[in-house]
Amino acid sequence: MSVVPSSLLPTYARPAFRGRIGRDVRSGHYAVPHRYRLHLAPSGPGCLGIALTHALLRLDDTLPLTVLPETPDTPDGGYTALRPLYEASAYLYEGPAAPPVLSDGWTGRIVSTHAPDILRDLALRFRGDKPDLLPEEHRGEIEAIADLCERSINGAAQRAGELGLDGEAAHRDPLAVLFAALGSLERRLTGRAYVLGDGPTAADVHVWVTLVQLDTVHRWHLDAAAMDRVAGHPALWAYAQRLAARTEFARHLDIDAVLRRHRSHCRGREAAGAAIRLVDWSAPPR
């Protein structure tokens, strides 16, 4: 396991534990029922993606899940409940005790706090006879879609709404990136039930969680004209609505909790935004 000391990270980043779940006993950490536990606050996008993966793989009886409140309870953005795990895992640990956390019940220590690694290890090591969320032939494409979501949608939307951007071009350029990314997903989802074909994969986890963020958080940082253009992707938003009605997707989604978390640490401007959300995220699950 590697630990990145807080002194070597930007102030906005949390120290990362980067242990991995291996294939067998030789790896140290290997998939054993009831050995590990997830600690998540699904009001955050990284935790929501892991919770969704956990639900799609039906891991309740294999890998227990502890759901934390939507907002941290310590001044540094951490959780009191996670502090013992962090202190047991790193000598004189002083950073925030923040989720997501994959902990090892055998050692009482943290395996990983890195959301992408945790998601991959759930899909690869705990799958069993459950759906293949990371099919070998699509892994490169899934990584590209994850990058598109993070950089060209989440990152671009955040950048477009930041305070301190001088001049119209400073807002227009990230918006162009955002609309290009949404357009590429619109074309991909036209006539398709899922991002990569007939069943859900990790690509759907990335895209759906990103759309939740765009329609609940980023919309407050974009003006009404931008949100009108965001709305102009009917296949994309129909897809989001369709998945929102599935139990696995809806199970850990609490829109009010997402908004409370956002408001607790929002540093961007509260712009005009869309008066009505693009998706009814509380649609009855099926």
Side-chain angles (χ1 to χ4, degrees):
M1 176 188 303
S2 61
V3 178
V4 181
S6 57
S7 60
L8 300 182
L9 289 167
T11 56
Y12 58 80
R14 72 174 68 114
F17 294 78
R18 295 290 297 272
R20 301 298 301 271
I21 304 298
R23 292 179 180 273
D24 52 39
V25 67
R26 292 172 297 178
S27 64
H29 291 118
Y30 54 98
V32 178
H34 312 296
R35 174 177 177 178
Y36 305 98
R37 177 175 289 273
L38 283 167
H39 310 259
L40 306 175
S43 54
C47 287
L48 179 58
I50 295 170
L52 173 52
T53 302
H54 185 273
L56 286 168
L57 293 172
R58 302 188 293 277
L59 292 177
D60 286 328
D61 294 333
T62 300
L63 203 169
L65 172 63
T66 294
V67 176
L68 300 164
E70 66 266 17
T71 53
D73 60 1
T74 63
D76 61 3
Y79 287 80
T80 302
L82 296 179
R83 175 60 54 181
L85 281 170
Y86 272 82
E87 292 181 346
S89 305
Y91 180 65
L92 297 179
Y93 179 81
E94 295 181 350
V101 168
L102 175 64
S103 66
D104 180 356
W106 290 3
T107 65
R109 297 183 178 183
I110 293 172
V111 177
S112 180
T113 62
H114 190 255
D117 286 352
I118 295 173
L119 192 154
R120 280 191 289 269
D121 285 350
L122 293 185
L124 291 174
R125 306 303 180 212
F126 290 91
R127 174 193 168 200
D129 60 355
K130 307 303 191 301
D132 188 359
L133 301 183
L134 280 174
E136 181 68 37
E137 67 272 22
H138 289 304
R139 287 185 192 173
E141 200 170 3
I142 290 171
E143 289 295 322
I145 289 168
D147 187 70
L148 177 82
C149 289
E150 185 57 31
R151 296 176 183 270
S152 299
I153 299 180
N154 287 323
Q158 183 68 33
R159 180 66 177 158
E162 282 179 351
L163 284 170
L165 293 181
D166 296 325
E168 182 182 349
H171 296 284
R172 185 175 63 243
D173 292 347
L175 285 175
V177 172
L178 171 65
F179 298 138
L182 293 177
S184 70
L185 291 176
E186 175 76 9
R187 292 187 293 274
R188 179 183 287 273
L189 285 162
T190 298
R192 274 185 174 180
Y194 298 96
V195 175
L196 294 178
D198 298 329
T201 66
D204 296 285
V205 173
H206 294 303
V207 171
W208 192 78
V209 170
T210 297
L211 293 178
V212 170
Q213 286 295 110
L214 182 58
D215 194 32
T216 60
V217 172
H218 294 312
R219 75 184 185 97
W220 293 108
H221 301 144
L222 301 174
D223 62 27
M227 284 306 299
D228 281 344
R229 291 186 64 185
V230 169
H233 299 84
L236 188 59
W237 295 110
Y239 158 87
Q241 180 76 69
R242 188 168 60 252
L243 295 194
R246 286 190 52 163
T247 300
E248 303 97 324
F249 286 78
R251 179 179 174 187
H252 292 292
L253 180 62
D254 182 338
I255 294 299
D256 290 336
V258 172
L259 292 174
R260 285 193 295 270
R261 177 184 180 275
H262 171 62
R263 290 166 183 156
S264 73
H265 69 271
C266 177
R267 297 173 183 172
R269 63 182 181 180
E270 296 294 323
I276 301 175
R277 293 194 185 112
L278 303 179
V279 172
D280 178 7
W281 300 103
S282 61
R286 56 176 172 81

